[in-house]
């Protein structure tokens, strides 16, 4: 029988338990009150935010137009099919597989590739260039430029395509005024890389996102920051399956700015057609030296404003269709663009191609000679050959003309005249073949004219060319001597006699800068190489007072409202230190090349009294290849240069095209010159673009009646 003390202890336990239970309920009720009353609004907002997703709206990229407002690159509406991975992940595996197979048939993309595109970059199995780089909440694009019928079927049969989104977005398009290509100038776009995204996030750059396409070449890359615009954001509420229930706020972002270039689509069209036709004609012409047709494997043409350095037109062959990059490029097409067999179409021969300049080099050598002891009264022999050691260096384009001056030597392109100049400087200043510090006025002059370094054009990937002076030859020897000494000591079984002899000579004295190097340099032969753009800029200095401009394609940036937000004025890089009297002398001599020299037979009937074209032809010889055709020319207003690799002689191959370009520039019909009228303003998004003067100042709009109908 329980004692009194036992009963008391039992009651105390019940009281304690009751207190504990009451305190627990009290705590629970207090927490519920806090969650539902005191903090209810905050938690409700947090719960709501978890069902709202943010979708990136890509902005329309800015237009690229020529100097008269003609669109060179624009945008067009395109259907894009994407997959919402959140919704896809909630489907049973068999239903997801069935959906991807159905989608694959609809958009003609293999299921394996779709799965690869849905993987986040950085995950196991992801492939760079294919994986998804964007937000995990963003639908992943798996097919661009889808037929409208396919997109509408996906929208109308939503029950058959859960997790699939079809939307309209803008893609690049190329209006091609006058049929222009301009691929190397305009460039192309491709998806942003993971590294670029990380760099943008580090710099807090919100203009790009994982789904962005960015410029990869040409002005698309150079002015990408202006062209890309700012993305917008749409917030949508979704259910537990990720399906959109309703739209919330929309930030439409901002379209990209328009890039106004200095290009003239009409002139660009003429330059492209003339270059292509010249190469075609050269390939059908027999090389009298080899007995075979010319290979004419590549070519380039450049037109600059002589007084500002602005690019009016620039063409390169082989070229490519910029449309191949729109919506993604196939691996086979990409391989072709990089293929040497196809001529490496991605390489711009105008700014990236490097070639021996041949006789177009001689005006620069003339400037070097006339500022280092020689005078316009100097007379030297233009013989049929010039002996250096045991080798006779011969004329190529000219015969023997007796004792002549610099002006006649330029007119007839006499090699032996300039051989003597190069040999004289070498004999007096640099006969020690191992002295890398010996003076060389001709090398110094070439560097003063900007050769051997980049021009600074607003295009990525420009080549610097090469001045093959003593320092270069020593550096080249140091980098190659182990290889050639190895060949000399233990020649491969298939090594030719020429390679064996060359390896032995190079191993012993490949560093030596001999008289043969000096005379070759004086006529633009040997290891010196230039780009057509470098040559065009140097020739502009003969008429603009010796200024070397950084060539410019961009002229102004105009915002979507039509307001000029940035002018891109001409920029002076340097000035050649050549007396005005020397520039005038060379200028007059080059007029003689056009009137009675090596270019005269191509300019018969051209109104030279009204348009004074100065020119210099060149035929550069390269060991083991056919000669490269060059013509460099200029007027008071423009510079026109054309080059065809392995294409034959200068005026013989390129002369007709050079003349046709000059006729287009000045509106020449027969011997009549039509006056050049002011440019018309372009129209972008219903707004007129301003006209720009050479110095970047805005001019009042002036309508050009002749061009107005063709705009």
């Amino acid at each position: 029988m329980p004692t009194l003390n036992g009963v008391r202890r039992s009651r105390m336990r019940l009281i304690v338990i009751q207190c504990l239970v009451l305190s627990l309920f009290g705590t629970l009720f207090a927490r519920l009150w806090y969650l539902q009353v005191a903090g209810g609004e905050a938690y409700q907002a947090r719960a709501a935010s978890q069902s709202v997703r943010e979708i990136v709206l890509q902005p329309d990229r800015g237009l690229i137009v020529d100097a008269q407002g003609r669109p060179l690159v624009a945008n067009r509406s395109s259907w894009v099919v994407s997959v919402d991975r959140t919704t896809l992940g909630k489907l049973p595996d068999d239903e997801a597989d069935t959906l991807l197979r159905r989608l694959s048939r609809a958009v003609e993309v293999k299921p394996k590739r779709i799965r690869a595109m849905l993987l986040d970059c950085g995950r196991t199995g992801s492939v760079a260039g294919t994986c998804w780089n964007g937000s995990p909440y963003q639908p992943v694009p798996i097919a661009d430029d889808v037929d409208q019928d396919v997109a509408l079927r996906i929208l109308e049969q939503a029950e058959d395509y859960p997790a699939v989104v079809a939307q309209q977005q803008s893609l690049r398009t190329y209006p091609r005024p006058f049929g222009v290509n301009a691929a190397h100038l305009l460039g192309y776009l491709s998806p942003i890389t993971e590294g670029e995204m990380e760099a943008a996030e580090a710099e807090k750059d919100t203009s790009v996102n994982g789904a962005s396409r960015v410029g990869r070449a040409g002005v698309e890359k150079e002015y990408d920051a202006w062209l890309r615009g700012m993305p917008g954001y749409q917030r949508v509420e979704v259910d537990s399956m990720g399906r959109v229930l309703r739209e919330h706020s929309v930030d439409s972002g901002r379209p990209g700015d328009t890039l106004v270039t200095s290009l003239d689509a009409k002139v660009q069209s003429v330059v492209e057609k003339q270059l292509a036709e010249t190469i075609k004609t050269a390939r059908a012409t027999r090389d009298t030296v080899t007995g075979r047709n010319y290979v004419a494997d590549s070519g380039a043409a450049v037109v600059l404003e002589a007084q500002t350095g602005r690019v009016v037109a620039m063409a390169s062959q082989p070229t490519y269709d910029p449309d191949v990059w729109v919506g993604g490029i196939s691996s086979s097409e990409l391989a072709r663009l990089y293929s040497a067999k196809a001529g490496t179409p991605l390489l711009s021969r105008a700014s990236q191609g490097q070639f021996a300049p041949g006789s177009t080099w001689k005006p620069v050598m003339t400037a070097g000679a006339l500022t280092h002891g020689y005078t316009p009264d100097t007379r030297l022999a233009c013989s049929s050959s010039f002996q250096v050691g045991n080798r006779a260096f011969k004329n190529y384009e000219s015969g023997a003309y007796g004792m002549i001056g610099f002006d006649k030597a330029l007119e007839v392109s006499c090699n032996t005249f300039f051989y003597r100049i190069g040999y004289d400087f070498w004999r007096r200043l640099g006969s020690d073949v191992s002295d890398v510090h010996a003076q060389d006025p001709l090398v110094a002059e070439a560097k003063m004219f900007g050769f051997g370094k980049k021009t600074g054009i607003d295009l990525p990937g420009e080549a610097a060319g090469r001045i093959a002076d003593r320092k270069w030859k020593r550096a080249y020897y140091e980098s190659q001597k182990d290889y050639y000494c190895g060949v000399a000591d233990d020649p491969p079984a298939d090594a030719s006699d020429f390679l064996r002899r060359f390896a032995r000579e190079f191993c012993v004295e490949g560093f030596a800068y001999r008289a043969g190097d000096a005379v070759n340099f004086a006529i633009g032969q040997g290891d010196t190489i230039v780009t057509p753009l470098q040559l065009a800029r140097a020739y502009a200095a003969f008429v603009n007072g010796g200024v070397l401009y950084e060539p410019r394609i961009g002229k102004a940036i105009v915002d979507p409202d039509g307001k000029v937000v940035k002018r891109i004025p001409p920029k002076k890089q340097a000035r050649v230190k050549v007396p005005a009297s020397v520039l005038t002398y060379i200028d007059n001599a080059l007029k003689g090349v056009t009137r009675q020299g090596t270019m005269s037979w191509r300019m018969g009937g051209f109104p030279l009294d009204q348009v004074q074209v100065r020119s210099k032809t060149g035929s550069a010889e390269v060991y083991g290849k056919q000669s490269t055709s060059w013509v460099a020319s200029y007027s008071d207003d423009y510079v026109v240069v054309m080059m065809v690799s392995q294409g034959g002689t200068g005026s013989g191959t390129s002369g007709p095209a050079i003349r046709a370009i000059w006729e287009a520039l000045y509106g020449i019909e027969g011997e009549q010159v039509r006056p050049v009228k002011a440019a018309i303003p372009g129209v972008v998004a219903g707004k007129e673009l301003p006209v720009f003067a050479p110095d970047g100042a805005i001019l009042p709009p002036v309508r050009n009646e002749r061009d107005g109908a063709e705009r």
Side-chain angles (χ1 to χ4, degrees):
M1 183 174 182
T3 63
L4 182 61
N5 289 337
V7 172
R8 288 177 177 174
R9 284 196 295 271
S10 297
R11 287 178 178 175
M12 287 298 296
R13 290 192 188 100
L14 289 175
I15 292 171
V16 170
I17 292 172
Q18 287 173 348
C19 289
L20 288 173
V21 171
L22 289 173
S23 64
L24 288 174
F25 274 106
T27 302
L28 178 61
F29 284 127
R31 182 61 177 166
L32 289 175
W33 178 87
Y34 175 79
L35 291 175
Q36 295 184 15
V37 180
E41 292 185 5
Y43 283 97
Q44 195 172 23
R46 185 180 299 179
S49 67
Q50 291 177 348
S51 64
V52 174
R53 293 184 185 169
E54 197 172 65
I55 298 175
V56 179
L57 303 176
Q58 299 298 337
D60 285 342
R61 195 169 172 86
L63 307 184
I64 301 173
V65 303
D66 80 351
Q68 299 189 21
R70 306 179 184 108
L72 301 174
V73 185
N75 300 305
R76 62 180 172 83
S77 183
S78 167
W79 285 99
V80 177
V81 173
S82 307
V83 173
D84 186 332
R85 294 182 300 174
T86 303
T87 304
L88 181 68
K90 294 178 180 179
L91 297 176
D93 290 345
D94 57 340
E95 290 186 24
D97 290 340
T98 301
L99 171 63
L100 293 183
R101 286 195 297 270
R102 185 182 300 127
L103 181 60
S104 170
R105 291 191 296 270
V107 299
E108 298 180 352
V109 177
K110 294 181 179 179
K112 183 179 179 181
R113 179 169 176 79
I114 293 177
R115 291 189 179 279
M117 296 170 77
L118 295 177
L119 284 176
D120 285 318
C121 292
R123 284 187 56 184
T124 303
S126 63
V127 178
T130 303
C131 56
W132 175 240
N133 222 2
S135 165
Y137 300 112
Q138 179 84 7
V140 180
I142 55 95
D144 293 323
D145 228 4
V146 174
D147 287 343
Q148 182 173 340
D149 292 344
V150 174
L152 293 178
R153 185 167 71 249
I154 291 173
L155 289 174
E156 293 169 357
Q157 300 174 6
E159 68 279 3
D160 293 332
Y161 294 96
V164 179
V165 181
Q167 296 173 312
Q168 281 192 308
Q169 295 182 7
S170 66
L171 293 178
R172 280 316 220 185
T173 187
Y174 302 90
R176 302 177 188 272
F178 304 105
V180 302
N181 171 266
H184 296 101
L185 295 173
L186 302 175
Y188 56 89
L189 309 178
S190 70
I192 191 169
T193 66
E194 186 175 6
E196 289 168 334
M197 267 304 302
E198 290 175 354
E201 290 171 356
E203 296 174 3
K204 298 182 179 179
D205 181 0
T206 58
S207 65
V208 293
N209 54 78
S212 293
R213 291 181 178 271
V214 296
R216 294 295 178 206
V219 292
E220 287 275 27
K221 180 176 182 179
E222 192 73 16
Y223 295 97
D224 183 65
W226 296 95
L227 293 167
R228 68 173 61 145
M230 289 296 292
Y233 297 90
Q234 181 179 22
R235 294 166 183 83
V236 295
E237 186 176 341
V238 297
D239 63 13
S240 60
M241 291 293 290
R243 292 174 296 216
V244 176
L245 299 177
R246 64 181 63 87
E247 294 182 359
H248 284 259
S249 60
V250 176
D251 175 4
S252 57
R254 190 181 73 85
D257 297 317
T258 290
L259 172 66
V260 181
T261 71
S262 59
L263 302 174
D264 186 313
K266 181 181 286 187
V267 178
Q268 178 73 24
S269 174
V270 171
V271 170
E272 289 178 358
K273 290 174 183 176
Q274 288 299 323
L275 178 61
E277 186 62 29
T278 298
I279 290 175
K280 180 180 178 181
T281 301
R283 289 174 177 172
T285 303
R286 189 173 297 278
D287 181 355
T288 57
V289 176
T290 64
R292 298 180 289 108
N293 285 9
Y294 287 110
V295 176
D297 52 7
S298 63
V302 179
V303 180
L304 300 181
E305 290 179 0
Q307 304 299 328
T308 67
R310 293 194 184 280
V311 179
V312 178
M314 196 157 74
S316 176
Q317 285 286 343
T319 188
Y320 62 93
D321 183 355
D323 269 319
V324 301
W325 295 93
V326 177
I329 189 171
S330 67
S331 56
S332 60
E333 183 63 29
L334 185 62
R336 191 192 74 81
L337 293 181
Y338 281 105
S339 166
K341 184 177 180 180
T344 322
L346 279 183
L347 180 70
S348 170
R349 267 61 182 192
S351 62
Q352 298 173 313
Q354 303 176 102
F355 309 88
S359 293
T360 59
W361 194 243
K362 291 173 182 174
V364 178
M365 299 295 95
T366 299
L370 292 178
T371 52
H372 291 85
Y374 289 88
T375 73
D377 296 327
T378 297
R379 294 294 181 268
L380 297 173
C382 178
S383 53
S384 59
S385 66
F386 178 70
Q387 194 75 22
V388 177
N390 60 358
R391 178 182 172 187
F393 288 79
K394 299 181 179 181
N395 272 330
Y396 183 75
E397 291 183 273
S398 73
Y401 285 87
M403 301 298 288
I404 62 175
F406 283 94
D407 51 355
K408 186 67 174 181
L410 290 172
E411 279 186 23
V412 300
S413 200
C414 180
N415 284 354
T416 54
F417 182 97
F418 287 94
Y419 286 149
R420 286 179 163 85
I421 300 293
Y423 179 76
D424 178 52
F425 282 128
W426 178 87
R427 178 184 58 81
R428 289 192 288 118
L429 302 173
S431 58
D432 181 351
V433 299
S434 63
D435 183 5
V436 297
H437 300 293
Q439 294 182 29
D440 193 328
L442 299 185
V443 167
E445 198 72 19
K447 291 180 178 179
M448 185 186 299
F449 270 85
F451 295 104
K453 65 179 181 180
K454 297 178 180 180
T455 67
I457 188 174
D458 50 349
L459 286 177
E462 180 191 7
R466 179 175 66 216
I467 297 294
D469 59 3
R470 294 166 183 263
K471 291 182 179 179
W472 173 83
K473 193 165 188 182
R474 170 70 71 171
Y476 182 75
Y477 171 74
E478 295 294 338
S479 67
Q480 299 294 320
K481 66 177 181 179
D482 290 344
Y483 168 74
Y484 283 111
C485 288
V487 172
D489 293 339
D490 185 18
D494 59 348
S496 64
D497 290 339
F498 171 79
L499 178 59
R500 293 168 189 260
R501 289 196 306 272
F502 179 82
R504 286 195 296 270
E505 293 174 5
F506 188 91
C507 181
V508 175
E509 54 183 12
F511 60 87
Y513 193 83
R514 300 191 176 280
D517 297 309
V519 299
N520 265 331
F521 184 85
I523 65 162
Q525 296 287 171
D527 294 309
T528 292
I529 50 179
V530 306
T531 69
L533 179 64
Q534 286 177 321
L535 194 68
R537 181 179 73 153
Y539 269 64
F542 288 123
V543 71
N544 69 20
V547 178
L548 292 178
Y549 284 99
E550 292 187 355
R552 285 287 176 268
I553 296 173
K555 203 167 186 180
I557 304 293
V558 179
D559 71 13
D561 295 324
K563 178 183 177 182
V564 179
V565 295
K566 180 179 175 64
R567 300 177 188 172
I568 307 170
K571 183 178 181 181
K572 296 178 182 179
Q573 187 183 81
R575 181 181 292 273
V576 297
K577 297 178 181 178
V578 177
S581 59
V582 172
L583 294 177
T584 300
Y585 178 85
I586 295 172
D587 184 75
N588 288 328
L590 297 181
K591 289 177 183 176
V593 175
T594 308
R595 290 180 178 273
Q596 63 264 0
T598 55
M599 188 63 181
S600 60
W601 68 296
R602 292 300 194 187
M603 299 297 283
F606 189 93
L608 292 172
D609 290 336
Q610 299 177 67
V611 180
Q612 296 189 49
V613 176
R614 299 78 147 171
S615 59
K616 185 69 194 79
T617 61
S619 304
E621 298 175 89
V622 179
Y623 179 80
K625 295 184 178 182
Q626 296 167 309
S627 60
T628 292
S629 168
W630 283 96
V631 174
S633 60
Y634 65 91
S635 69
D636 291 342
D637 307 306
Y638 303 104
V639 180
V640 179
V641 170
M642 180 174 285
M643 178 281 308
V644 178
S645 172
Q646 300 197 79
T649 62
S651 58
T653 298
S654 300
I658 289 289
R659 175 174 180 151
I661 294 170
W662 281 116
E663 289 173 343
L665 282 168
Y666 285 97
I668 296 172
E669 296 177 354
E671 297 187 20
Q672 300 298 314
V673 180
R674 291 181 295 176
V676 180
K677 297 183 179 181
I680 57 171
V683 177
V684 178
K687 295 185 178 293
E688 288 191 332
L689 291 175
V691 180
F692 298 89
D695 63 356
I698 301 176
L699 299 177
V702 179
R703 174 136 327 253
N704 182 337
E705 299 299 338
R706 178 164 60 86
D707 287 341
E710 298 173 319
R711 182 181 51 175

